[in-house]
Amino acid sequence: MADISLDNALDGDAGRTLAEDVRDGLTRAHKELPPKHLYDSRGAALFDQICELPEYYPTRTERAILERVAAELIAASGASELVELGSGSAAKTRLLLDAMAAAGTLERYVPLDVTERVVRESAAALIREYPGLRVHGLIGDFERHLGRLPPAHGPRLLAFLGGTIGNFAPTQRGRFLRTIAGLLAAGDHLLLGTDLVKDRATLEAAYNDSAGITAEFNRNILRVINRELGASFDPTAFDHVAVFDERNEWIEISLRAREAQEVALPAIALTVHFAAGEELRTQISAKFTRERVAAELAAAGLELVAWHTDARAWFGLSLARAAAA
Ligand code: SAH
Ligand code: TRP
């Protein structure tokens, strides 16, 4: 279709990075795996189900803020193209595209996601929904492939929603924000969604839903490793654990081995031992305050233009631009 172009930056090397990440993560004293491997097609579908769960407030809270302020954000940014990192099924993105269409500025949407299927499917759906819209989909890793983003056609809004920024470790997060700052030309803006610190019960419930979807999503990483690396993980032998670490202000998500076990990973010639109760960390999800967001943006050379939140101050949406040099 002429209105869609796709660029797959993962061609050829996706399997290699999984193998490297798994070797690196499972041979550490404190085992961990990078969260991007949670999102194969099944993982992406499970994540979409998480977004609908009664306990998972971030999606609906961010959506409500966007419903209220999208027109204002678009007016403030003057954007004609929307670049979205970790775009997923692009559900909330429609609110921004609607506001751009209403302002008469909408030209192009550039989603970047590791999951090929979500990029393809959202691109196809969006060109049907927005006549005249062009979509350039980039299948890739936002930690490695930002250089593959196409040159801007006009003022750009770079959106990073869903609190996904909270999934970086703090040092990576700083580096990532500096890279983003370097991508923003004069007139471009960053729209950043951050989940905010709140009471422990609300935070922990969001990652421990009663339907068990989050647990299934978390265990999906083991299925991905079994399939891609021929590993022998028994996903049912691991419990899902998600706890708010108050000192670090993040939710720590892991898989805890119910009993001692050995896991074979023939594709990387590795056997890994788990002790009973040993945890494998799959994700952190940092929670922010407005002050922290502003400080981290400033440290990266970004300045906060507008801060939007909901009545309970559960989620924050920041509009930022590169600080004057
Ligand atoms: N933006 C959506 C989805 C958030 S979930 C929302 O707000 O609801 C995080 C998304 O980022 C998933 O679609 C996942 O596939 C993608 N993702 C995770 N790590 C990534 C990485 N390193 N590079 C590119 N995309 C990544
Ligand atoms: N970006 C989401 C978040 O931090 C990702 C997420 C939600 C997640 N629930 C999860 C990751 C459960 C791993 C396990 O809120």
Side-chain angles (χ1 to χ4, degrees):
M1 192 109 35
D3 294 334
I4 299 180
S5 53
L6 291 174
D7 178 15
N8 191 339
L10 297 176
D11 262 345
D13 84 348
R16 207 192 65 216
T17 64
L18 176 70
E20 285 167 358
D21 289 347
V22 169
R23 167 177 296 286
D24 182 46
L26 293 187
T27 53
R28 292 188 189 173
H30 297 280
K31 297 183 176 67
E32 60 180 319
L33 290 169
K36 65 181 174 213
H37 302 302
L38 285 161
Y39 299 91
D40 63 345
S41 294
R42 179 172 181 270
L46 285 167
F47 184 76
D48 282 344
Q49 288 182 46
I50 289 177
C51 292
E52 305 284 325
L53 292 168
E55 295 95 338
Y56 195 71
Y57 64 83
T59 307
R60 87 178 58 84
T61 309
E62 186 178 41
R63 165 182 288 278
I65 301 168
L66 278 171
E67 279 168 356
R68 190 162 46 77
V69 305
E72 191 181 325
L73 291 169
I74 293 308
S77 74
S80 65
E81 67 177 31
L82 178 63
V83 176
E84 184 172 16
L85 308 182
S87 47
S89 57
K92 286 166 291 182
T93 309
R94 266 100 169 156
L95 297 166
L96 294 167
L97 296 174
D98 287 345
M100 292 167 79
T105 57
L106 179 62
E107 286 179 18
R108 185 165 68 156
Y109 175 54
V110 182
L112 189 175
D113 203 285
V114 273
T115 310
E116 171 158 8
R117 184 188 300 180
V118 300
V119 174
R120 284 184 184 281
E121 289 179 358
S122 64
L126 289 169
I127 61 152
R128 283 197 300 272
E129 292 170 40
Y130 297 88
L133 177 69
R134 281 173 298 125
V135 178
H136 178 91
L138 177 54
I139 297 141
D141 182 343
F142 51 54
E143 292 191 71
R144 296 189 296 134
H145 299 126
L146 292 177
R148 292 273 283 254
L149 288 171
H153 281 178
R156 193 173 244 189
L157 182 62
L158 201 156
F160 194 28
L161 303 178
T164 307
I165 182 96
N167 301 141
F168 285 113
T171 39
Q172 289 168 293
R173 186 163 81 219
R175 199 180 313 138
F176 181 78
L177 284 173
R178 279 193 296 283
T179 306
I180 297 288
L183 287 177
L184 299 181
D188 291 349
H189 289 80
L190 167 67
L191 181 64
L192 181 67
T194 45
D195 195 17
L196 303 180
V197 173
K198 61 186 63 61
D199 68 279
R200 171 183 295 275
T202 302
L203 285 170
E204 291 186 348
Y207 296 86
N208 289 285
D209 65 279
S210 55
I213 307 289
T214 305
E216 228 12 67
F217 176 61
N218 195 15
R219 289 189 193 103
N220 189 55
I221 202 161
L222 303 180
R223 296 181 194 277
V224 169
I225 296 171
N226 283 350
R227 186 185 63 227
E228 300 296 326
L229 301 177
S232 66
F233 275 109
D234 173 4
T236 65
F238 289 81
D239 287 320
H240 165 74
V241 182
V243 182
F244 184 51
D245 174 341
E246 219 156 316
R247 194 173 55 86
N248 287 309
E249 294 187 321
W250 65 46
I251 297 275
E252 182 143 331
I253 302 163
S254 36
L255 291 165
R256 184 191 288 147
R258 274 204 210 113
E259 42 204 60
Q261 54 200 284
E262 304 281 328
V263 177
L265 296 107
I268 53 173
L270 186 70
T271 301
V272 178
H273 176 76
F274 284 86
E278 184 174 352
E279 291 187 10
L280 162 60
R281 187 163 86 173
T282 52
Q283 179 93 98
I284 62 162
S285 184
K287 306 304 164 187
F288 297 82
T289 58
R290 177 188 174 148
E291 294 67 34
R292 173 95 88 114
V293 172
E296 292 195 9
L297 290 173
L302 292 161
E303 93 185 297
L304 193 57
V305 176
W307 168 264
H308 298 285
T309 188
D310 53 292
R312 296 182 291 198
W314 275 11
F315 198 92
L317 206 52
S318 301
L319 186 69
R321 65 181 166 219

